[in-house]
Amino acid sequence: MTSSKKVTIYDIAKEAGISASTVAAVMNGSWRKRRIGEETAKAIQAIAASRGYTINLQARGLRHSRSGLIGMIVPMLDNRFFSSLAQAFEEKARALGLYPVVVSTLRDPQNEHATVSALISHNVEALLLTGATDPDGLSEICARAGVRHINVDLPGTKAPSVISDNYNGAKEVTEVIVRMASSRKERPSFYFVGGVPDHNTLRRIDGFREGLRGAGLPVLDSHIQPSGYDADLAESTVREIHARLGSLPDGLFVNSTIAFEGVVRFLKTLPIDEVRKCAIGCFDYDPFIELLHFPVVMARQNVKRLIDESSRLLEVDNDPAGQVMLIPTDLVVPNALVLASPGMGSDDPPLILAPSKPSKRIGRRKIA
Amino acid sequence: MTSSKKVTIYDIAKEAGISASTVAAVMNGSWRKRRIGEETAKAIQAIAASRGYTINLQARGLRHSRSGLIGMIVPMLDNRFFSSLAQAFEEKARALGLYPVVVSTLRDPQNEHATVSALISHNVEALLLTGATDPDGLSEICARAGVRHINVDLPGTKAPSVISDNYNGAKEVTEVIVRMASSRKERPSFYFVGGVPDHNTLRRIDGFREGLRGAGLPVLDSHIQPSGYDADLAESTVREIHARLGSLPDGLFVNSTIAFEGVVRFLKTLPIDEVRKCAIGCFDYDPFIELLHFPVVMARQNVKRLIDESSRLLEVDNDPAGQVMLIPTDLVVPNALVLASPGMGSDDPPLILAPSKPSKRIGRRKIA
DNA sequence: TTGAAAGCGCTAACAA
DNA sequence: TTGTTAGCGCTTTCAA
């Protein structure tokens, strides 16, 4: 509206016939304690409002050597888990009086480095490194710049890490699907599908194995197929398993909702009765998965606590680098199963599923 | 590692026994054309690397009066549509050589104002205002600061707007569900559920009405219930409709995936055969909705084009403010229906659904 | 109660 | 080929 150039304190000072430092004090709220006259302040505020003044935070940041920004990198934004993390991060940042900047890196190490450097160049005051493929490399960069940072979701060794308890989450899911399958068959066999063999997937595989072992079931390496975080790959993996066995396995552990999407695409091609004979679990949560026509047991990550603990660790100074904090997941068991217990799954669940009360969420144990 | 204080060009200049401006030229890549010696440059780069120098973009931005930032506000991040927009925006921003800053406002007008002001204070070079509740108020703020901006998803009158073609998207979905329902019943009756009566929902209602009218069906105001963007409300709305009618309506148009979640929760309490007698459509898309055990027709918003066109409009100068650009949606029709045509839905779809080829996506018409 | 002045780190003439 | 210098807009002593 006014000029295209931005209004500065000098413009206002000139118009008010007063010095720039006085204007500055009024504009940043420090004028009371600088004992600037009530009317002077009012006048300046009026001019500022009429000219549409906005403070230049780059200048202020330069002067202060602090930006008021807090950064977060995530592999991608268009993902239920990471976007929830981002949302929780934003709210936390604001509560801390900081301005959140969230950027995605597409799981590309180069991109991660460039993004972290860029964020540091913008003088962020702290950094959350989420799902980084090279957390320690990034820690290096941050350390040189003296920037506080926390690894989230995937751990590193050079900074504190806050991650989900993948092991126990996977174990719990496995235990439930084992019970489901065991009620149908003497020695059921299970498959693990999806994910890349990073830290999280490896821990989940460990949990899966332990869940089977605890039930006295054998664990076959050939049944563990981390075919990637990709729906198409998961789909063809399950299709192949089905082709090989001539039917679905007795139980299936799907590692991530994105892989689950592919799995469901294949399952839809099968008669519903066959699908319901397979006990299915999924690491991570999607509300629509609860609403499918067959029951799925899920381990839901606790996004809010991941962020809360990260922010807490940012505050404290004296954390031994490399500390890993595990946040328990919530076990989500479909109503159909809850209602059918005890003796879970002793019958095929009814085609008319349970009333629409929310699914049961169990498991709160803190393993830190 | 080194000191906690950040390394500046002066530190490097001192260590190299050379002037700061030379260091600056080397650090920002302009040294070739400033004809700085190859070995000088090499030496400086070596020192910079060893000391972990990172350029201070606040200082550079202050000097240039430009920040290299581009901002976007969204109602929330943890939403499939908005997070996809954010992801597409990021990629576009980088392609433009700008650094993306995405912030959520939780559909709160105050928050929107504060956030836009904050972004302007950080000297963003352009702004995408997504789903703003008060686009024109925000335009005002931007205009005063001389900041280019575009309304996305919800239109305003003081800046160009790029939004989905809600009217035609809704009309197309309605037409398909009308055909489905008409094959079962002479004069089917339809309900519209979910959303708040903002511009988008109103246009979708118009499209819904037109879809019915085109088939010679009556349009009853009492059948249109924009019960909010909330799963629980949508659930109880549909439950009430069901209770009142003693059955599901012949067709149901659900306005948003979040409302759809609530609707499915209720539908799960019904026998599958009853659900399959209801022709169901949904504005907007979720991959898991495609995978439910009953067919759903969806209008999928074209996130990429929304962003592409927004960025294009940011470039050009001479756009009459208030121009609204409509981006067509893609009609997503489940395979079960595609395979059953012609005479869509003439029989109840088979319980074993179609093979896992991706659903058909039709509708590309550009209505600008 | 207010003003003058130095400087945050970087850039870009202009000098040398 | 390199150095000097004057700011970008703001904050903050110190002086008036």
Side-chain angles (χ1 to χ4, degrees):
Chain A
M1 290 281 111
T2 22
S3 86
S4 174
K5 206 69 206 79
K6 244 174 240 177
V7 181
T8 74
I9 51 172
Y10 293 103
D11 300 320
I12 295 178
K14 205 186 302 167
E15 181 168 339
I18 212 168
S19 85
S21 59
T22 303
V23 176
V26 173
M27 294 329 293
N28 66 26
S30 70
W31 61 279
R32 282 239 84 107
K33 77 160 189 246
R34 291 216 41 212
R35 313 212 253 165
I36 279 159
E38 194 83 30
E39 4 17 307
T40 322
K42 286 268 176 296
I44 289 174
Q45 281 160 341
I47 297 176
S50 83
R51 307 269 316 251
Y53 170 80
T54 46
I55 194 171
N56 184 330
L57 291 177
Q58 299 206 91
R60 182 218 276 257
L62 179 57
R63 183 60 236 241
H64 272 150
S65 301
R66 65 190 295 286
S67 63
L69 303 174
I70 180 168
M72 169 167 173
I73 66 165
V74 293
M76 55 206 141
L77 253 15
D78 53 351
N79 167 289
R80 210 154 206 137
F81 174 59
F82 294 122
S83 66
S84 300
L85 272 180
Q87 185 70 47
F89 167 74
E90 275 209 358
E91 275 146 35
K92 175 61 77 178
R94 283 199 244 254
L96 296 174
L98 292 169
Y99 204 78
V101 180
V102 182
V103 196
S104 73
T105 60
L106 305 173
R107 286 194 209 282
D108 169 31
Q110 289 230 297
N111 224 326
E112 284 176 4
H113 283 239
T115 300
V116 165
S117 295
L119 254 5
I120 289 174
S121 283
H122 282 289
N123 286 348
V124 292
E125 310 195 354
L127 222 29
L128 256 51
L129 307 176
T130 308
T133 59
D134 176 24
D136 288 347
L138 302 181
S139 280
E140 198 77 46
I141 300 177
C142 293
R144 287 168 150 284
V147 172
R148 297 254 184 114
H149 59 289
I150 306 281
N151 297 305
V152 183
D153 181 51
L154 275 176
T157 68
K158 305 195 161 183
S161 305
V162 180
I163 66 176
S164 285
D165 186 347
N166 293 287
Y167 174 82
N168 281 294
K171 180 159 163 277
E172 289 166 7
V173 167
T174 306
E175 284 165 352
V176 176
I177 61 177
V178 161
R179 275 192 285 162
M180 289 165 66
S182 300
S183 68
R184 297 199 191 95
K185 193 165 176 183
E186 195 66 34
R187 300 195 63 70
S189 85
F190 289 81
Y191 280 76
F192 181 106
V193 169
V196 294
D198 60 9
H199 171 276
N200 289 352
T201 292
L202 294 176
R203 294 302 285 146
R204 292 173 198 167
I205 290 174
D206 288 345
F208 173 72
R209 293 195 128 104
E210 184 56 31
L212 295 184
R213 200 176 301 125
L217 294 173
V219 186
L220 302 178
D221 282 352
S222 62
H223 286 197
I224 293 177
Q225 309 196 8
S227 46
Y229 285 125
D230 179 288
D232 292 335
L233 288 174
E235 179 180 357
S236 53
T237 301
V238 175
R239 175 177 296 116
E240 277 158 28
I241 292 170
H242 181 269
R244 198 161 350 105
L245 302 179
S247 72
L248 284 176
D250 307 307
L252 192 58
F253 186 114
V254 184
N255 185 15
S256 86
T257 55
I258 180 71
F260 202 83
E261 211 181 297
V263 170
V264 180
R265 281 208 299 257
F266 173 69
L267 296 183
K268 273 194 74 172
T269 67
L270 302 177
I272 176 66
D273 289 336
E274 180 172 354
V275 176
R276 281 164 179 257
K277 285 204 192 85
C278 176
I280 300 176
C282 179
F283 200 98
D284 223 340
Y285 172 83
D286 186 295
F288 279 111
I289 294 182
E290 280 193 74
L291 300 174
L292 293 169
H293 55 313
F294 49 87
V296 180
V297 180
M298 288 179 273
R300 181 180 199 169
Q301 303 194 64
N302 193 331
V303 163
K304 182 141 184 334
R305 275 205 55 203
L306 285 166
I307 294 296
D308 284 344
E309 299 297 343
S310 300
S311 120
R312 214 173 50 69
L313 285 179
L314 278 179
E315 304 293 296
V316 293
D317 224 9
N318 45 1
D319 269 293
Q323 162 192 359
V324 175
M325 171 160 223
L326 295 180
I327 305 298
T329 57
D330 291 338
L331 187 65
V332 180
V333 177
N335 263 322
L337 292 184
V338 175
L339 295 184
S341 58
M344 273 184 177
S346 52
D347 282 310
D348 276 9
L351 189 56
I352 300 172
L353 289 182
S356 64
K357 289 177 309 188
S359 299
K360 276 277 165 47
R361 274 153 186 85
I362 36 194
R364 291 270 162 208
R365 205 167 1 79
K366 158 92 184 286
I367 299 108
Chain B
M1 290 285 108
T2 23
S3 87
S4 174
K5 206 67 207 80
K6 244 173 241 178
V7 181
T8 74
I9 51 171
Y10 293 103
D11 300 321
I12 295 178
K14 205 185 303 167
E15 181 167 339
I18 213 169
S19 85
S21 62
T22 303
V23 177
V26 173
M27 294 330 293
N28 66 28
S30 70
W31 61 278
R32 282 239 86 105
K33 78 160 190 249
R34 290 216 43 210
R35 315 213 251 164
I36 279 157
E38 194 83 29
E39 42 318 353
T40 322
K42 286 268 176 299
I44 289 175
Q45 281 159 341
I47 297 176
S50 83
R51 307 271 312 253
Y53 170 81
T54 47
I55 195 171
N56 183 331
L57 291 178
Q58 300 206 92
R60 182 217 277 259
L62 179 57
R63 181 60 234 239
H64 274 150
S65 301
R66 65 190 296 288
S67 62
L69 303 173
I70 180 167
M72 169 168 174
I73 66 165
V74 292
M76 55 205 144
L77 253 17
D78 53 350
N79 168 290
R80 212 154 205 136
F81 174 59
F82 294 121
S83 66
S84 301
L85 272 180
Q87 186 70 47
F89 167 72
E90 275 209 357
E91 276 147 34
K92 174 62 77 176
R94 283 199 244 254
L96 296 174
L98 293 168
Y99 204 77
V101 180
V102 183
V103 196
S104 73
T105 59
L106 305 173
R107 285 194 209 284
D108 170 31
Q110 290 229 296
N111 224 325
E112 285 176 5
H113 283 239
T115 300
V116 165
S117 295
L119 287 169
I120 289 174
S121 283
H122 281 288
N123 286 347
V124 291
E125 306 189 2
L127 221 29
L128 255 51
L129 308 176
T130 307
T133 59
D134 177 25
D136 288 346
L138 301 180
S139 279
E140 199 78 45
I141 301 177
C142 292
R144 287 168 149 285
V147 172
R148 297 256 182 113
H149 60 289
I150 306 282
N151 297 305
V152 184
D153 181 50
L154 275 175
T157 67
K158 303 193 162 183
S161 305
V162 180
I163 67 177
S164 286
D165 186 346
N166 294 286
Y167 174 81
N168 280 296
K171 180 159 163 277
E172 288 164 7
V173 168
T174 307
E175 284 164 352
V176 176
I177 61 178
V178 160
R179 275 192 283 160
M180 290 165 67
S182 301
S183 68
R184 297 199 191 96
K185 194 168 175 182
E186 194 67 33
R187 298 194 64 70
S189 83
F190 289 81
Y191 279 75
F192 181 105
V193 169
V196 293
D198 61 8
H199 172 276
N200 289 352
T201 292
L202 294 177
R203 295 301 286 144
R204 292 173 198 167
I205 290 175
D206 288 345
F208 173 72
R209 294 194 126 106
E210 184 56 30
L212 295 183
R213 202 177 299 127
L217 295 172
V219 186
L220 301 177
D221 282 353
S222 63
H223 286 198
I224 293 177
Q225 309 196 9
S227 47
Y229 285 126
D230 179 287
D232 292 336
L233 288 174
E235 179 180 357
S236 51
T237 301
V238 174
R239 176 178 293 115
E240 277 157 28
I241 292 171
H242 181 267
R244 199 161 350 105
L245 301 179
S247 73
L248 284 175
D250 307 306
L252 192 57
F253 185 113
V254 184
N255 184 16
S256 86
T257 54
I258 180 71
F260 201 84
E261 209 181 300
V263 170
V264 180
R265 281 208 298 257
F266 174 68
L267 296 181
K268 274 195 73 171
T269 68
L270 302 177
I272 176 66
D273 289 336
E274 180 174 353
V275 175
R276 282 165 180 256
K277 286 205 190 84
C278 177
I280 301 176
C282 179
F283 201 99
D284 224 340
Y285 171 84
D286 186 294
F288 279 111
I289 294 183
E290 281 193 74
L291 300 173
L292 293 170
H293 55 313
F294 49 87
V296 180
V297 180
M298 287 179 274
R300 181 178 199 168
Q301 303 193 64
N302 193 332
V303 162
K304 182 142 186 332
R305 277 206 53 203
L306 285 165
I307 294 296
D308 283 344
E309 299 297 342
S310 299
S311 120
R312 215 173 48 71
L313 285 179
L314 277 178
E315 304 294 295
V316 293
D317 223 9
N318 45 359
D319 269 293
Q323 162 194 358
V324 176
M325 170 159 225
L326 295 180
I327 306 298
T329 57
D330 291 337
L331 187 64
V332 180
V333 177
N335 263 320
L337 293 183
V338 175
L339 294 185
S341 59
M344 272 183 177
S346 52
D347 281 310
D348 277 10
L351 190 57
I352 301 172
L353 288 182
S356 66
K357 290 176 309 189
S359 298
K360 275 277 164 47
R361 275 154 186 85
I362 34 193
R364 291 269 163 206
R365 206 167 2 80
K366 160 93 182 288
I367 299 111

